[in-house]
Amino acid sequence: MSQNKTPKLNPLKEKIEIISKEDKVYYKYSTVYEIQPGDTLTSIAKNHLEGYESINEYVDEVKFMNQLCSSDSLVAGNKIFIPYCSTEIK
């Protein structure tokens, strides 16, 4: 995914966890993401890192949520669940 494209997020969100880092409280949600041509788990992670310690932590969570063994499973047009954090209650 190119840097200037905004990922398409499904407006349906599910609150799943509250975490606290760096004197901020983050509310963790999940949403459905439609995979775009050229997407990798790393490129998706780079757009949703807020509240996470590393890209690897985020990628591991996406793999777990979607029962993926590797990023080779990503196919443009398919949908996966992705987590994201926000300091706002939604």
Side-chain angles (χ1 to χ4, degrees), residues 4-87:
N4 59 359
K5 287 189 179 177
T6 302
K8 294 180 181 178
L9 297 177
N10 184 317
L12 299 175
K13 302 169 187 85
E14 179 182 339
K15 182 176 170 183
I16 58 173
E17 188 178 345
I18 300 173
I19 55 179
S20 179
K21 293 185 179 182
E22 301 170 6
D23 297 328
K24 287 186 181 179
V25 173
Y26 289 97
Y27 299 90
K28 189 184 288 187
Y29 300 90
S30 64
T31 191
V32 176
Y33 176 82
E34 183 175 342
I35 299 166
Q36 303 300 305
D39 273 351
T40 64
L41 292 177
T42 300
S43 67
I44 294 168
K46 287 178 180 177
N47 291 317
H48 298 91
L49 272 180
E50 183 175 10
Y52 286 86
E53 304 237 350
S54 69
I55 289 174
N56 288 338
E57 178 187 9
Y58 186 90
V59 167
D60 288 345
E61 188 164 350
V62 172
K63 284 181 178 180
F64 177 77
M65 290 175 74
N66 294 280
Q67 301 176 352
L68 300 173
C69 295
S70 71
S71 58
D72 295 339
S73 307
L74 298 184
V75 176
N78 284 357
K79 295 178 181 172
I80 60 173
F81 291 104
I82 61 166
Y84 68 97
C85 294
S86 175
T87 55

